[in-house]
Amino acid sequence: MKIFRRLLFWLVGVPLLLVLLLQAYFLVQIAWWVNFNPSSTSFMRHQLSVLQEKNPDAKLQHQWVPYSRISNNLKRAVIASEDDSFVDHEGVDWEAMQKAYEKNQKKGKVVSGGSTITQQLAKNLFLSGERSYLRKGQELIITYMLELCMSKERILEIYLNSVEWGVGVFGAEAASQHYYHISASALSVAQAARLAVMLPKPRYFDKNQGSGYLQRRTEIIVKRMNSAELP
């Protein structure tokens, strides 16, 4: 009986304890970031290591700017393009996820994620880029932690300062300087919409800025921006 208990402890108790400790670590980090800005994210560090494999001296383009110094045009464009129910949901848009699942089933591969801005931030802050149900489950847990601890405004501020916008380009300020040579506060409606459209495939569009799809989608987002609600 003692042997069985020990075996159960090592097979179930220890892994469960490790999982709980990992969640506690995530929660403490998130609580810290309520008032302090993250200097980098898991995804940023991964992309830097990829770039440094080819060029050891490679560095990321990244500069944090406060929420007030990011154009409302960009905030509206990103919400309109990435998550039009951002201010209303509690972190997860289950309807969008269901539609994405059905679309992936039809295609026979993952072509759509249905992720909200909060989910994307959860993934960028802590997780790898691999696609699996286990990683998706962890993403959902972190998503609800973010929504529990942070305001929508803070979530959007961190997201806009840490999301990838090109090869080694992270955050709204670096993207504005990289593509338009202006600050993030000065982005026009059209410029902001174009940046928002780049988000699903930033490295591709960084190298293919003349894409016809990019132009057509930008025009659609410009029309949607007025209805985008800011937190």
Side-chain angles (χ1 to χ4, degrees):
M1 194 67 179
K2 288 183 179 180
I3 294 176
F4 175 75
R5 285 180 190 155
R6 287 178 182 174
L7 186 62
L8 190 64
F9 172 74
W10 285 106
L11 292 179
V12 179
V14 171
L16 181 60
L17 178 61
L18 291 175
V19 169
L20 291 175
L21 288 174
L22 181 62
Q23 306 315 309
Y25 165 76
F26 290 150
L27 186 58
V28 169
Q29 280 275 67
I30 290 168
W32 175 260
W33 287 331
V34 169
N35 297 307
F36 299 93
N37 302 327
S39 58
S40 67
T41 68
S42 175
F43 189 72
M44 290 170 67
R45 292 188 292 274
H46 172 72
Q47 288 304 115
L48 178 59
S49 68
V50 170
L51 292 174
Q52 289 181 338
E53 286 179 2
K54 296 180 180 180
N55 176 13
D57 296 323
K59 294 181 180 180
L60 300 182
Q61 298 177 55
H62 177 246
Q63 180 183 345
W64 184 282
V65 289
Y67 190 78
S68 60
R69 285 174 51 197
I70 300 174
S71 169
N72 282 347
N73 290 328
L74 185 60
K75 297 167 191 172
R76 293 185 189 280
V78 168
I79 290 174
S81 181
E82 294 288 291
D83 185 4
D84 58 7
S85 61
F86 174 65
V87 298
D88 298 317
H89 62 63
E90 296 179 349
V92 180
D93 186 337
W94 293 105
E95 184 178 346
M97 286 188 66
Q98 177 63 29
K99 289 180 180 178
Y101 174 77
E102 292 171 357
K103 186 175 181 179
N104 294 337
Q105 289 294 99
K106 288 180 181 179
K107 295 288 185 179
K109 60 180 180 179
V110 178
V111 294
S112 178
S115 295
T116 64
I117 285 173
T118 315
Q119 284 176 269
Q120 293 178 49
L121 178 59
K123 179 182 68 176
N124 290 345
L125 284 172
F126 293 110
L127 306 175
S128 69
E130 70 167 318
R131 295 179 182 270
S132 70
Y133 288 114
L134 184 62
R135 198 227 68 185
K136 196 68 175 179
Q138 180 63 80
E139 176 190 300
L140 292 176
I141 293 172
I142 297 171
T143 294
Y144 282 116
M145 288 180 184
L146 287 167
E147 291 279 345
L148 175 67
C149 296
M150 296 182 180
S151 67
K152 289 285 187 177
E153 182 177 305
R154 181 58 173 165
I155 289 171
L156 186 58
E157 178 183 29
I158 297 177
Y159 176 81
L160 290 174
N161 272 290
S162 60
V163 71
E164 183 184 35
W165 247 305
V167 180
V169 181
F170 287 84
E173 184 67 20
S176 300
Q177 296 289 350
H178 179 72
Y179 294 108
Y180 301 115
H181 309 291
I182 60 175
S183 67
S185 62
L187 288 167
S188 69
V189 169
Q191 290 168 336
R194 190 176 180 85
L195 285 180
V197 172
M198 294 178 68
L199 285 177
K201 300 170 68 176
R203 275 166 275 162
Y204 172 82
F205 287 125
D206 190 0
K207 297 177 180 178
N208 297 273
Q209 295 182 42
S211 164
Y213 168 83
L214 188 60
Q215 182 58 40
R216 291 190 299 273
R217 179 68 177 168
T218 296
E219 292 170 1
I220 292 172
I221 296 305
V222 166
K223 295 176 182 177
R224 292 182 181 176
M225 285 171 60
N226 284 337
S227 60
E229 185 178 352
L230 297 182

